Amino acid sequence: MRLRAGIGRNGLIPYLLNFIFLLVLYGVLDAKGTQSGKRSFCIVAAIVEGVFFGLADPACYRDGLQYQHLFELAGFSGLENELSRFWQAYFVDFQFSSERGFYVLMAAFQCVSESYVFFQFCVSVFFFSLLYRFFYHHSKDPLLSSLFFTAIFAFAFMSLLRQTLAICIAVLIGTEFIYRRKAVPFLICVLVACTMHQSALIFLPLYWLAGVEPSRGRVAFGIACAVAVSLLSSVIWPLASVILGDYQQYFSSSYKGSNTSLYFLLQVVVAAFVLLHVRKVSVEEDGLMGNRILLYSSLIMLMIAPFSQYNSNVFRISYYYFVLIACFLPALLGSYLAHGRVVAQVGFVAVMLCALALFGVQTDVPYEVFFA
């Protein structure tokens, strides 16, 4: 059974209601005033959003039906065959771009249930459980982090199911090892994530960058590199197609999605905001590692942004860093004095609401809840 929501072909209204729900929940639970309120907010928000996104009909997501087809193929193949292909790809042929881990996961899941909607639901609940756990431990304001995530990812992340799983492993689990400065467990997380989606490799440099104390000179050098990459992007792009031959489909043709310009603008604006506050990021002692992660994530994202003008799929690389920025950005907003802090936070909520609406008007299908 399918329950349709939204107006016409646009499924924006349920997402707006989810946005408003987060605001109301935060106030009701007094999440800003008490640690228990913050914890309760993260638990309830994780459950509600996990269910909200998990029960959506696969057709609501851009690649949902394609993933459903792959899920069925993995079921026909069987777990034993998928494990054999996994071993052959990684340990015999050394085809590290094969991403066979996702197929093993789908085949293993079908030992429990053959319902793709249930698989999608479990992935959604798993993702939001890790996401809000991460926000609870590392975000200065889980509400602002959740609104940032909702505005940027609401219409995208479940369309990229493999990458969503890769983000769970590389970012939401792997970042804990960046904090603890444990290189081997971090590397294992990234490698496992790569069996879901090869783009997780882009997360590797952050471990070593986070160990480098930021300074004006280093930040200036990073900005200079970003500018140079932007100016030379037309030269670098064809070279990347040679180096990353396994992803030739992304380089062989130009593709710009309906939201490409908006994503690009958001990347530049967010990175510029962080860099304008680099002094606070560099000297603040409380949460120093989080501030370093925020700073270097913004610089990396700024370097990636120009390539989205050649092919919108490049934004998939930025998602790893967008999640981190969602977590650590509220610390900068909270660094203002009392009056300015309120203005900054209200302005941030307004901008995120506008961003959600702008992304939403591009949605081609209504939101539908699927009850198997």
Side-chain angles (χ1 to χ4, degrees):
M1 180 177 70
R2 291 173 173 82
L3 176 64
R4 173 171 291 211
I7 296 179
R9 297 176 65 221
N10 192 281
L12 175 60
I13 289 179
Y15 296 97
L16 288 175
L17 292 175
N18 177 61
F19 191 95
I20 295 171
F21 167 78
L22 292 172
L23 288 169
V24 174
L25 178 67
Y26 195 75
V28 169
L29 295 176
D30 191 23
K32 192 174 184 64
T34 64
Q35 192 69 15
S36 62
K38 178 181 178 181
R39 180 170 56 251
S40 298
F41 170 79
C42 290
I43 292 173
V44 175
I47 294 172
V48 171
E49 294 206 295
V51 172
F52 175 76
F53 287 99
L55 286 181
D57 188 89
C60 295
Y61 301 121
R62 186 179 61 191
D63 295 334
L65 295 179
Q66 180 182 347
Y67 280 123
Q68 186 172 17
H69 177 64
L70 293 177
F71 182 81
E72 293 168 355
L73 291 179
F76 289 137
S77 175
L79 179 58
E80 185 177 348
N81 285 335
E82 290 301 337
L83 285 171
S84 177
R85 291 171 182 171
F86 181 92
W87 179 268
Q88 180 72 27
Y90 288 102
F91 299 102
V92 178
D93 298 333
F94 302 108
Q95 294 178 351
F96 298 110
S97 62
S98 62
E99 300 167 343
R100 298 304 310 180
F102 181 65
Y103 294 91
V104 171
L105 177 64
M106 290 189 296
F109 185 87
Q110 292 184 64
C111 295
V112 178
S113 172
E114 296 181 355
S115 169
Y116 174 74
V117 174
F118 185 49
F119 174 73
Q120 175 185 275
F121 175 80
C122 290
V123 170
S124 178
V125 171
F126 176 64
F127 175 80
F128 279 105
S129 297
L130 288 179
L131 180 70
Y132 278 96
R133 178 184 177 276
F134 192 74
F135 286 168
Y136 173 72
H137 287 290
H138 300 297
S139 176
K140 295 291 186 182
D141 191 329
L143 173 66
L144 298 183
S145 294
S146 63
L147 295 183
F148 185 92
F149 175 85
T150 298
I152 303 300
F153 291 96
F155 303 100
F157 86 103
M158 286 301 287
S159 296
L160 308 170
L161 203 61
R162 290 187 299 124
Q163 194 166 12
T164 295
L165 288 166
I167 289 173
C168 284
I169 301 167
V171 180
L172 300 179
I173 296 176
T175 302
E176 300 295 339
F177 297 113
I178 294 180
Y179 268 87
R180 301 174 193 174
R181 306 307 298 158
K182 294 184 178 294
V184 174
F186 173 78
L187 181 61
I188 291 173
C189 284
V190 173
L191 292 178
V192 172
C194 285
T195 69
M196 300 293 166
H197 201 283
Q198 191 73 4
S199 62
L201 283 173
I202 196 66
F203 198 61
L204 272 177
L206 189 62
Y207 179 88
W208 288 274
L209 287 173
V212 178
E213 183 176 351
S215 65
R216 289 183 179 275
R218 287 170 180 151
V219 172
F221 177 74
I223 295 174
C225 288
V227 172
V229 167
S230 179
L231 294 174
L232 298 174
S233 60
S234 60
V235 177
I236 297 173
W237 182 253
L239 290 176
S241 68
V242 175
I243 297 171
L244 302 174
D246 292 323
Y247 295 89
Q248 188 65 37
Q249 69 270 26
Y250 295 136
F251 300 97
S252 59
S253 60
S254 177
Y255 165 71
K256 288 188 69 173
S258 56
N259 285 323
T260 296
S261 297
L262 183 54
Y263 271 121
F264 177 79
L265 178 62
L266 274 172
Q267 282 184 312
V268 174
V269 169
V270 170
F273 177 80
V274 172
L275 295 174
L276 285 174
H277 291 74
V278 66
R279 187 180 187 122
K280 295 177 182 178
V281 172
S282 300
V283 302
E284 185 180 332
E285 294 181 3
D286 183 37
L288 180 60
M289 181 60 72
N291 286 333
R292 289 182 184 178
I293 291 173
L294 174 62
L295 173 62
Y296 290 122
S297 294
S298 300
L299 284 171
I300 293 172
M301 193 173 68
L302 197 60
M303 294 181 191
I304 294 170
F307 299 106
S308 64
Q309 303 306 300
Y310 298 94
N311 193 306
S312 295
N313 286 302
V314 173
F315 279 124
R316 299 185 180 196
I317 300 175
S318 301
Y319 288 164
Y320 296 89
Y321 294 103
F322 256 128
V323 172
L324 291 176
I325 290 171
C327 180
F328 298 113
L329 188 61
L332 289 189
L333 295 173
S335 66
Y336 289 98
L337 297 177
H339 178 71
R341 185 186 311 131
V342 173
V343 173
Q345 291 172 343
V346 172
F348 178 82
V349 172
V351 170
M352 290 302 102
L353 182 59
C354 291
L356 178 66
L358 288 172
F359 283 127
V361 296
Q362 303 294 339
T363 303
D364 293 330
V365 292
Y367 178 86
E368 294 181 353
V369 178
F370 186 94
F371 295 95

